[in-house]
Amino acid sequence: MSERILVIRFSSLGDVVLTEPVFRALKQKYLQAQIALATKKEYAGVFEGYSNIDRLFNLDGGLEKLAREIRAFKPDLIVDLHRNFRSRRLAGQFPEARKLTYAKARWERFLKVLTKTRRPVAHTMERYLKTVEAVGSVAFPQLNASTSKDHRRWVGPAGFTVGFGLGAKWEAKLWPVGHFSQLAELLSKSFPVGRFILFGSEEEYELGNEFKKKFSGSSPAVMVFGQPLERAKNCLSKLDLLVSNDSGLMHLGAACGVPTLGLFGPTHPVLGFAPLGEKSKALSLDLYCSPCSLHGKLPCFRSRRFCLEDLTPEKVFEEARAVLKSVKPKPVLEPVPAVFMDRDGVVIRERNFDYTPDNIEILPGAPGAIRRLKEAGFKIVIVSNQSGVGRGFLTVEGVEAVHSAVQEKLKKEGAEIDRFYFCPHWSDGAVEKFRKECVCRKPETGMPELADLELGIDFSRSFVVGDRVTDLELGWKKGMRSILVLTGQGKRAQEELAEKRDDSAIVKGNVLEAAEHILGMKMEV
């Protein structure tokens, strides 16, 4: 009887998601076993808070480093669900362990591309389960967002929340953005849609911008681009329907229990990658030329992409309508007030792009301000422009490490931030990936809108506390009260307001005084 089981699947997102049933099956079969997963660091968030995995090993620093870490785990059974050179090499480091290896059926799938026959290959999930001799034991992948500690009551939402997965790994797999915007308009006319949620990677950000330019409906569109997987998973869990290109996000949404419509063009459901779920479905025109490649990597050989361009918004709408008619909008947490705080110069001392976990300094009064506001029922959210990432002075990982250090220091003083959000973009930056116009750089409202999706915010009872005019403008744009503090860049901002003869801002000496002012208003929270 195995006691320590290692499962290997390094990538990609959809393949990692589809391993989930294997862990449930192994837990049922080996009740006392410790089960671990070896995967790339970027995909570890898929299993955040997941109880059937006892240990995560990240491929982050080379195979030898990973093998050393796993050696202390002492696996006696290794399940290789990747079956490539690296996974075989890793498994070979443990000759004493029993090995089970996934049958990829690559040649069988390649024949489908060549012959276009429609008898489907066994689904990837089924082949994973066959590897551990557990076929039929589990119906669908199941992943839940992290359990909230919030004790608020649930209330009826303003309408349906519909998500669009605008991106995909390969350009040939993209349903036209114009089709997505037309679908949104059709849905808005037929159903009470509270908001649309747009998903994609940082590299796909322009797809979101294009959607917002094309969409003429009144429902707001919230962009979830370039976010950590844990956050993307949490946002997906809020959806009543997801319409997505054939992508890892499609599988993640379906695994989160969201009715998912997957759009297939150059790929095809017969290859074994359809979304799995009670109300999930793969949509395809089933053209004679499809599938034209295993993963949709090759450019279309025809005059245009008939497989996706002719999959019209009207056709997808009919499928979406059937789903929305069969479900009720998910309840949401009753909205609460929040205090949105700038980070640098408000909570920590400003250091002009020189931030590390070791040199940050919490400003006097900040822990007390945060603690008292939370005790009064406010959510505390950091919203920070970090153009140093786009300029090339900082990295996303570095900013996240600083946030972890800030949280750790605050917790030692009885305070805690509910969410950290930051904008890494700079329109003239040195890093091409972050050189763009965005909806998150303050005073744009992308960060508060994302916080509302995750936390449920009543903006009419909320505040912004910052040391720059852009912080104040952010609050005013969202109907919040804005407070300028004179720490950081606050005095310069005060002078700027004076030049404009703008006396609409509340001015306080620091974040503690700002908190006292908020609490003194005795607002119902």
Side-chain angles (χ1 to χ4, degrees), residues 31-270:
L31 298 178
Q32 303 302 318
Q34 292 285 301
I35 301 176
L37 169 66
T39 191
K40 286 186 176 180
K41 183 179 180 181
E42 61 197 275
Y43 303 121
V46 167
F47 293 106
E48 178 77 16
Y50 181 69
S51 61
N52 289 323
I53 295 179
D54 301 293
R55 185 84 182 270
L56 277 169
F57 293 103
N58 295 331
L59 180 59
D60 179 34
L63 208 61
E64 294 305 318
K65 178 176 178 287
L66 178 62
R68 286 196 301 271
E69 293 172 353
I70 293 173
R71 198 161 283 117
F73 180 67
K74 298 179 180 179
D76 52 22
L77 171 62
I78 295 178
V79 182
D80 182 358
L81 297 182
H82 205 133
R83 212 185 81 173
N84 66 358
F85 174 76
R86 284 194 299 181
S87 67
R88 289 195 294 266
R89 184 178 170 192
L90 178 63
Q93 298 279 328
F94 305 92
E96 69 285 354
R98 185 163 64 98
K99 314 292 193 310
L100 298 176
T101 304
Y102 160 62
K104 274 191 170 183
R106 185 176 180 84
W107 179 243
E108 186 180 355
R109 288 188 284 129
F110 185 64
L111 283 176
K112 296 294 179 187
V113 175
L114 292 178
T115 65
K116 317 300 182 190
T117 57
R118 291 300 185 250
R119 183 178 179 182
V121 175
H123 197 281
T124 300
M125 185 200 75
E126 294 176 359
R127 286 183 281 118
Y128 284 163
L129 288 171
K130 186 176 181 180
T131 306
V132 295
E133 301 175 349
V135 174
S137 64
V138 179
F140 306 122
Q142 293 179 5
L143 291 168
N144 298 317
S146 298
T147 305
S148 173
K149 299 177 183 177
D150 212 311
H151 299 296
R152 281 180 280 166
R153 68 188 182 98
W154 295 88
V155 297
F160 288 105
T161 299
V162 177
F164 292 151
L166 301 183
K169 187 172 184 179
W170 305 111
E171 186 176 353
K173 297 170 73 173
L174 298 179
W175 201 45
V177 174
H179 284 20
F180 274 110
S181 65
Q182 291 176 48
L183 174 61
E185 290 171 12
L186 290 170
L187 290 169
S188 296
K189 291 175 182 176
S190 301
F191 296 93
V193 178
R195 56 189 163 188
F196 293 99
I197 314 300
L198 313 179
F199 294 87
S201 67
E202 185 63 54
E203 292 81 1
E204 295 161 344
Y205 202 100
E206 288 305 319
L207 297 175
N209 284 339
E210 185 181 349
F211 177 94
K212 290 175 79 76
K213 290 176 183 176
K214 291 179 180 292
F215 178 54
S216 59
S218 59
S219 300
V222 180
M223 289 178 60
V224 185
F225 280 74
Q227 296 297 321
L229 266 178
E230 303 94 308
R231 179 163 292 155
K233 190 168 70 169
N234 187 34
C235 293
L236 283 167
S237 72
K238 314 292 184 184
L239 302 181
D240 298 298
L241 169 68
L242 173 65
V243 181
S244 174
N245 295 315
D246 173 22
S247 64
L249 182 92
M250 174 191 74
H251 292 293
L252 185 59
C256 288
V258 179
T260 298
L261 300 178
L263 309 176
F264 285 73
T267 53
H268 195 286
V270 298

Side-chain angles (χ1 to χ4, degrees), residues 271-311:
L271 296 176
F273 294 111
L276 296 173
E278 184 180 348
K279 295 181 182 295
S280 295
K281 186 176 183 180
L283 305 184
S284 169
L285 290 180
D286 200 28
L287 300 185
Y288 79 91
C289 54
S290 176
C292 58
S293 66
L294 283 179
H295 304 293
K297 182 178 180 179
L298 300 178
C300 182
F301 67 91
R302 301 180 67 185
S303 60
R304 63 182 180 86
R305 295 184 307 146
F306 293 89
C307 58
L308 287 173
E309 291 176 17
D310 289 358
L311 182 59

Side-chain angles (χ1 to χ4, degrees), residues 6-23:
L6 174 69
V7 177
I8 304 172
R9 182 72 216 196
F10 294 132
S11 61
S12 291
L13 176 58
D15 299 285
V16 173
V17 170
L18 292 173
T19 66
E20 187 281 328
V22 170
F23 296 103

